């Protein structure tokens, strides 16, 4: 089954959030405009909190610098420093 670009971007964001939990406590989701748009289109309504500040799955949203890929900012309590989990596209499933 072929997925749309928006679905692929949403999967990449969700996978990065899960991977970020291995680094520590995810706090901020920095997205490019395209990633944010894809997440708004394909993200589940229950994952969004439209209040201030707007959050997705409990993470505050911030805009990534122009041309930068999205990332999840994580606080590592043990090291007392910020860690970064990049948002990367997942490889597509091979044809069946």
């Amino acid at each position: 089954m072929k997925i749309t670009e928006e679905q692929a971007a949403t999967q990449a964001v969700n996978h990065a959030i899960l991977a970020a939990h291995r680094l520590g406590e995810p706090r901020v989701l920095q997205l490019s405009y395209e990633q944010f748009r894809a997440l708004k289109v394909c993200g589940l309504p229950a994952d969004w909190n439209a209040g201030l500040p707007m959050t997705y799955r409990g993470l505050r949203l911030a805009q990534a610098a122009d041309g930068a890929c999205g990332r999840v900012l994580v606080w590592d309590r043990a090291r007392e420093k910020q860690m970064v989990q990049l948002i990367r596209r997942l490889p597509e499933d091979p044809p069946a």
Side-chain angles (χ1 to χ4, degrees):
M1 181 168 116
K2 197 80 166 152
I3 62 173
T4 65
E5 284 292 316
E6 288 86 5
Q7 290 170 326
T10 300
Q11 285 179 353
V13 168
N14 290 333
H15 186 269
I17 292 170
L18 288 174
H21 281 282
R22 286 186 247 156
L23 297 174
E25 180 185 341
R27 294 200 173 168
V28 179
L29 186 58
Q30 286 186 336
L31 301 173
S32 67
Y33 173 77
E34 293 81 19
Q35 289 170 324
F36 177 75
R37 185 186 58 77
L39 206 57
K40 283 297 280 180
V41 170
C42 291
L44 297 175
D47 290 338
W48 289 96
N49 177 11
L52 293 175
M54 179 184 260
T55 62
Y56 178 76
R57 293 192 169 191
L59 302 176
R60 286 182 293 126
L61 297 173
Q63 184 171 357
D66 288 338
C69 73
R71 59 192 188 160
V72 182
L73 303 180
V74 181
W75 182 251
D76 183 343
R77 289 180 190 227
R79 295 184 188 123
E80 294 187 356
K81 73 179 219 180
Q82 181 171 291
M83 307 290 281
V84 174
Q85 173 66 50
L86 296 178
I87 298 172
R88 296 189 180 107
R89 281 290 176 110
L90 301 176
E92 289 190 31
D93 293 332

